[in-house]
Amino acid sequence: MLKLNLGANRPYGVALLITLVCVSLFYLQLDAELAYQRNLIIDGQWWRLVSGNLLHTNAWHLYMNLAGLWVILALHEQHYQAKGLSLVFFILCLMQGLGLLVFFPSLIGYVGLSGMLHGLFTYGAVLDIRRGLKSGYLLLLGVFLKVAYEQYFGASLEMTQLIDARVATEAHLVGLLSGLICVGVFIAYKRLGREHL
């Protein structure tokens, strides 16, 4: 049975905070002020690079993304403490916004955690592999295949109807690549730290 430790140093406290922020923003309906909007970001509203990740199109979109967050943390809890997860979450959100801004100029608007979740999932799968868990290879292969499928065939019609918006498959690709970059930097940092001890 999964025990959720909400102590100060565990990742579930951070997940609870993210959940509360996303739910609050959903009901406050602050999309006009916080959603990723390419033209407004270019005009200087840089906070939208991060804050757009915390907004959702409808309740189904919100609940699916939050469920994904909790499942990913349950899978990879051993890799995170509160401070580290907070940093990774922020960096992945920022990279998500920057990646969309730079590489997908035709994407004018975006909201949702799904891109960041693809990055967090990838990050955890690589750390599983580093710990010698063979399941990490399956998880990494799975996310690669999912994103590749979406890039070629697009998202399912059912998902599009469920969230009442076009699924931004570009965000999933950016998330996956951001996760690989983040975990690569983390591994290099740890390796350099050991070499200088």
Side-chain angles (χ1 to χ4, degrees), residues 138-152:
L138 289 175
L139 295 175
L140 192 60
L141 177 62
V143 74
F144 268 99
L145 290 175
K146 176 190 181 291
V147 170
Y149 177 90
E150 289 176 340
Q151 299 312 300
Y152 190 76

Side-chain angles (χ1 to χ4, degrees), residues 5-141:
N5 181 352
L6 297 178
N9 215 22
R10 304 310 305 156
Y12 294 108
V14 176
L16 183 59
L17 179 61
I18 293 167
T19 299
L20 292 173
V21 168
C22 288
V23 170
S24 298
L25 291 176
F26 179 74
Y27 287 105
L28 289 171
Q29 298 183 350
L30 296 175
D31 291 38
E33 295 81 8
L34 300 177
Y36 175 99
Q37 290 290 326
R38 179 179 176 79
N39 295 335
L40 296 176
I41 292 168
I42 291 171
D43 285 344
Q45 297 184 19
W46 295 100
W47 63 86
R48 293 173 182 271
L49 292 169
V50 173
S51 62
N53 292 277
L54 304 172
L55 303 173
H56 295 85
T57 57
N58 62 22
W60 280 110
H61 191 202
L62 173 69
Y63 300 146
M64 284 189 300
N65 275 285
L66 292 177
L69 174 66
W70 285 87
V71 168
I72 291 168
L73 287 182
L75 272 175
H76 299 133
E77 173 191 12
Q78 68 274 19
H79 302 311
Y80 300 110
Q81 294 196 350
K83 186 177 176 182
L85 177 60
S86 300
L87 182 62
V88 169
F89 176 82
F90 176 78
I91 290 171
L92 286 173
C93 285
L94 181 59
M95 290 180 74
Q96 175 72 22
L98 288 171
L100 293 176
L101 187 71
V102 173
F103 298 108
F104 295 97
S106 63
L107 185 67
I108 303 303
Y110 170 78
V111 294
L113 279 174
S114 63
M116 186 284 306
L117 291 175
H118 280 73
L120 193 63
F121 187 88
T122 302
Y123 188 98
V126 173
L127 292 182
D128 279 353
I129 293 168
R130 283 195 79 223
R131 286 203 173 181
L133 298 172
K134 291 189 176 19
S135 58
Y137 290 103
L138 289 175
L139 295 175
L140 192 60
L141 177 62

